Amino acid sequence: MSLQKFIDRLRRHSELEEGDIARLKALESVARVVAPGDFSVRDGTSPTTCSLLTSGVAASHKIVGNGGRQIVGVFFAGELLDFDGLFLPSIDFNVQAISECTMSRFHCEDLMEVIFEHPAIGKALFRETALNASISREWMANLGRRDSRTKI
């Protein structure tokens, strides 16, 4: 599995030693190509694998009250698509390929083992999650401002 973009992404904000990087690279995975429009993650599922986007662009979305889709995230190579599934009983969003994507899937149990064996990796993934949450808050704030202007 090509993890270099993922590793580079983590190293932008966290220190990882060579042993940490070697352990990430040793994760067993299965690569899969996803065509534009196809789903890689479905709302309501309980995943046993986590997906890393290694090429292409994907988006996460939620189905809203009128049946439409609200995009809640955009993913690029080097990003985990469904890291939430590692800690939650089910996924509450969909992920669809926007372009042809290659994804590497690895077992959640294996990633959890790596997190506990290598605290620096756990810290880097937690920081990555916090950064993604910050981006989501910005999206919500921008949507709220836009909605406020159109309703007044």
Side-chain angles (χ1 to χ4, degrees), residues 59-133:
S60 58
H61 68 270
K62 297 211 34 111
I63 303 299
V64 293
N66 66 2
R69 291 182 292 175
Q70 176 65 53
I71 292 175
V72 294
V74 178
F75 299 97
F76 301 95
E79 294 187 80
L80 290 168
L81 301 175
D82 50 4
F83 187 61
D84 307 42
L86 195 62
F87 301 100
L88 300 174
S90 65
I91 297 292
D92 67 345
F93 56 90
N94 295 295
V95 176
Q96 259 181 308
I98 297 201
S99 66
E100 182 174 279
C101 295
T102 304
M103 299 175 190
S104 292
R105 290 189 177 213
F106 43 92
H107 288 283
C108 292
E109 298 163 0
D110 294 345
L111 183 56
M112 189 64 84
E113 187 176 298
V114 168
I115 289 169
F116 286 111
E117 286 177 2
H118 296 263
I121 294 172
K123 184 177 179 181
L125 290 171
F126 184 80
R127 185 170 281 145
E128 183 74 8
T129 300
L131 290 169
N132 288 336

Side-chain angles (χ1 to χ4, degrees), residues 29-45:
S29 68
V30 175
R32 147 184 137 131
V33 175
V34 180
D38 285 354
F39 288 83
S40 67
V41 176
R42 289 282 194 167
D43 187 354
T45 59

